[in-house]
Structures are given as C-alpha cells and as structure tokens.
Amino acid sequence: GEHDKFVLEQLINDTDTARIRVMAMRGTRSLRSVLDARLIFDFTAASVVIVVDNARLVELSGLWKEARGLIDIGDRGAARQRLMEFNCESSEERLLVEFCMKAIENGLQDRIEIFGLSKPDIIQYLPVGDVVPGAHSWEELVAEWNHQDDFKQFLRGKGAKVSARNLGAIAGKMDSVPDDFVRLRALCLEMAGDH
C-alpha cells in the first residue's frame, strides 16, 4: 500500500544507481495486473520483487524459491505441484499462488521474486515512540490491539499520525536501516543486474 511505499522508498533508497522503483500494489489482489502488464515484461528487462509482510505469505516466498529451483533443474511439473500443495487459507494466499503459477506458465519465474518481511507490518520497523507518542514497544501495542480493527486505525486511536508521508519522514530520519531492508535492497540490485 501507499504507507509501505513511502517507508520502502526511504529504507531501500537507491541513489547509487536509480534502478529500483517502488510501486504500491494496494494489496495482493493487484498481482494480476502486474503479470498482465505485458509492457513491463515484453519491452523491458525489468524484474519484479513482491514484498509481503504477512507470516503465511512469507512462508509462500520460501515455497516460490523452492519452485524456482525445481524449474532450474528442468522440472516445471514438480514446481507447479509444489505450489498447488500450499494450503491457501485466504484469498490473498490464493492470489499469490495463482500469480506464481501464471509466472511459471508465462516463463517469467526468473524475473519475479517474493520477499517476505519478518515483522507482521512494515510500520513495526519504525521507532515506536516516533509513531505513537509515549509508546514504549511495538510488542505492548500489539498485545493491546484487539485484532478486530485495522492496526493502523488502532494506532490512530492512540494518537499516532500514520499518514504515508509521516511514516516516510520517520523512516527517513532513522539512524540505521533494519536488516530486512538491507537484504531487500541487495536482492533488488541483484535482480537489476548490479552485483
């Protein structure tokens, strides 16, 4: 989403090569449009890295890596079978599996990567006190959250200003970049051909 885009732009800032572009998908339901955007795949050498922050989707990112390995040794059928074995528990998971299957069908698997963040929400990488005044830890806030409201809406009720621009500004002031984003940036540069 837009919040993620602003944070990612700050944390994987690519001033060295200007070869990384962050695009907000606004949910995995937009994955279909990525694969259907033939312009990207037919007329450019661009690769696509899909960043997910849901724990089950992170598990699926490992499965995608395994499927790509099977394709590399010439076993497309086993790769598809492995993906079909994933027990999808949500429409988001089904769409991501469908996306991976379509990527294999179109021979695009080498240009698509799925990167899973270790935290459940990108906002939890930011200094908690900068996001929610007076808060001491993300763990305390998550424990207090009833999981029925949207997490960002819950944070707004605690006095947080969680606009995309504000979160991006907070990310831009951080003294260090979390390891997940160091690895994500390295993956993006590798896929862009900057080894």
Side-chain angles (χ1 to χ4, degrees):
E2 205 64 26
H3 294 86
D4 306 89
K5 178 182 185 292
F6 275 76
V7 172
L8 283 167
E9 284 175 340
Q10 293 299 318
L11 295 180
I12 64 166
N13 190 350
D14 186 38
T15 54
D16 300 338
T17 65
R19 298 194 62 191
I20 300 172
R21 296 288 180 264
V22 178
M23 298 170 48
M25 285 189 333
R26 292 167 185 87
T28 52
R29 62 187 168 278
S30 300
L31 285 173
R32 286 189 185 109
S33 63
V34 173
L35 267 186
D36 291 336
R38 298 305 310 175
L39 185 66
I40 292 172
F41 294 108
D42 290 348
F43 299 105
T44 76
S47 295
V48 175
V49 178
I50 299 161
V51 180
V52 295
D53 58 7
N54 172 309
R56 294 254 316 151
L57 296 180
V58 170
E59 180 184 333
L60 189 54
S61 74
L63 186 60
W64 175 240
K65 190 173 295 224
E66 186 181 327
R68 286 180 56 190
L70 288 166
I71 293 167
D72 288 346
I73 61 170
D75 201 342
R76 280 184 163 339
R80 283 192 291 269
Q81 181 62 39
R82 192 71 188 94
L83 287 168
M84 286 189 296
E85 290 170 1
F86 185 76
N87 182 25
C88 297
E89 295 179 356
S90 69
S91 60
E92 192 174 44
E93 291 171 5
R94 278 189 291 283
L95 282 170
L96 196 51
V97 167
E98 178 185 311
F99 175 83
C100 292
M101 297 292 272
K102 193 168 181 182
I104 292 170
E105 178 184 314
N106 292 329
L108 299 171
Q109 67 279 347
D110 291 336
R111 292 176 62 187
I112 296 169
E113 187 62 72
I114 301 170
F115 184 89
L117 296 173
S118 61
K119 295 189 187 255
D121 193 300
I122 200 166
I123 201 170
Q124 293 178 28
Y125 287 93
L126 303 176
V128 68
D130 291 350
V131 178
V132 183
H136 300 289
S137 77
W138 285 113
E139 292 77 15
E140 287 176 15
L141 287 169
V142 169
E144 187 181 334
W145 175 43
N146 66 14
H147 296 275
Q148 294 180 8
D149 298 328
D150 173 73
F151 187 58
K152 288 179 183 76
Q153 190 62 36
F154 163 75
L155 296 177
R156 283 184 188 98
K158 295 293 224 174
K161 293 183 176 122
V162 292
S163 71
R165 288 195 192 286
N166 188 51
L167 295 179
I170 292 169
K173 293 177 188 171
M174 289 173 63
D175 292 336
S176 63
V177 176
D179 289 344
D180 277 357
F181 298 96
V182 171
R183 287 194 315 277
L184 174 59
R185 184 177 191 279
L187 173 64
C188 290
L189 291 175
E190 177 186 332
M191 292 192 73
D194 292 350
H195 302 288

